[in-house]
């Protein structure tokens, strides 16, 4: 039969039962994958907005330049 060695047992230090309904607060590096994905999506949207602004400003600059050169 198996013998249990009592010297190998360690006392339980944290005896509280974790509550799964309580949110875990972590560092930003240890953030949840959902929030990391949301941040990436927001970053992509920001990059797309900057590209659109550059494109529209280039077109308006060409049109204004053409107008002044034609007069």
């Amino acid at each position: 039969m198996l013998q249990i060695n009592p010297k190998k047992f360690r006392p339980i230090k944290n005896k509280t039962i974790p509550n799964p309904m309580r949110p875990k607060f972590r560092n930003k590096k240890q953030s949840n994958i959902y929030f990391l994905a949301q941040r990436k999506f927001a970053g992509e949207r920001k990059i797309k907005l900057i590209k659109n602004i550059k494109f529209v400003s280039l077109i308006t600059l060409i049109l204004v330049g053409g107008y002044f050169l034609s007069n």
Side-chain angles (χ1 to χ4, degrees):
M1 275 197 160
L2 293 173
Q3 294 277 337
I4 297 174
N5 188 355
K7 291 181 181 178
K8 289 187 177 181
F9 285 123
R10 293 183 181 153
I12 298 172
K13 293 179 182 178
N14 187 5
K15 296 181 181 179
T16 60
I17 299 171
N19 187 357
M21 297 300 289
R22 187 176 141 275
K24 292 183 179 180
F25 298 101
R26 298 183 176 111
N27 296 333
K28 285 188 178 181
K29 292 178 184 176
Q30 298 173 335
S31 195
N32 192 348
I33 192 70
Y34 171 76
F35 296 112
L36 290 174
Q38 287 291 331
R39 197 176 317 144
K40 181 181 179 231
F41 182 70
E44 288 174 356
R45 202 176 341 165
K46 186 178 178 182
I47 291 169
K48 188 182 268 188
L49 179 68
I50 290 171
K51 279 186 180 179
N52 286 343
I53 289 172
K54 284 181 182 178
F55 181 71
V56 170
S57 63
L58 180 67
I59 295 296
T60 55
L61 186 66
I62 290 172
L63 290 175
V64 169
Y67 176 75
F68 282 122
L69 287 176
S70 67
N71 283 342

